Amino acid sequence: QVQLVESGGGLVQAGDSLRLSCAASGRASSLYALGWFRQAPGKEREIVAAIYASSRTYYRDSVQGRFTIARDDATNTVSLQMNSLKREDTAVYYCAAHRVFSTQPGWPYWGQGTQVTVSS
């Protein structure tokens, strides 16, 4: 089993930065992919960014150049640095883990979610 715990959400203004962190425990060393998804009210859960195969990264188009995902295998943590935040980034952000990489939300391991609210 793998447990994921997120931290770092909050209320910020448009243009501000925020950093999310996720600590993985359990059989975290076997994880091939770590990622961040988000879900806004009334919308489907969508992938934001992922890191897999140790260093390969994926970003959805709307966050490319603004968000940076990083992984520290020594501490089993994954972070998401979010810069130049926009109102449309408002959502509950979830850390997720998988043994394969996929852009679809069918990952087996999830954190509890952390709210990110961006005001104008």
Side-chain angles (χ1 to χ4, degrees):
Q1 271 293 7
V2 175
Q3 295 80 43
L4 303 171
V5 179
E6 303 104 333
S7 61
L11 171 63
V12 297
Q13 292 188 330
D16 285 351
S17 298
L18 202 60
R19 181 182 177 90
L20 305 182
S21 293
C22 174
S25 60
R27 300 182 64 181
S29 61
S30 66
L31 297 171
Y32 176 79
L34 293 171
W36 290 93
F37 287 73
R38 67 187 181 189
Q39 188 165 20
K43 294 188 177 182
E44 295 185 350
R45 191 169 298 189
E46 61 185 20
I47 190 168
V48 177
I51 186 164
Y52 59 102
S54 298
S55 61
R56 296 188 68 178
T57 56
Y58 168 89
Y59 296 95
R60 69 179 303 105
D61 288 345
S62 60
V63 308
Q64 182 75 43
R66 299 189 297 123
F67 291 11
T68 302
I69 190 170
R71 176 176 183 165
D72 185 341
D73 288 331
T75 57
N76 288 329
T77 57
V78 60
S79 62
L80 184 68
Q81 178 66 40
M82 304 185 293
N83 298 330
S84 302
L85 282 161
K86 304 176 181 180
R87 285 191 64 184
E88 51 264 43
D89 294 319
T90 295
V92 177
Y93 282 69
Y94 297 90
C95 176
H98 203 346
R99 292 185 173 83
V100 298
F101 171 65
S102 170
T103 60
Q104 300 304 305
W107 291 34
Y109 304 109
W110 295 90
Q112 80 284 0
T114 185
Q115 178 70 47
V116 172
T117 303
V118 184
S119 64
S120 59

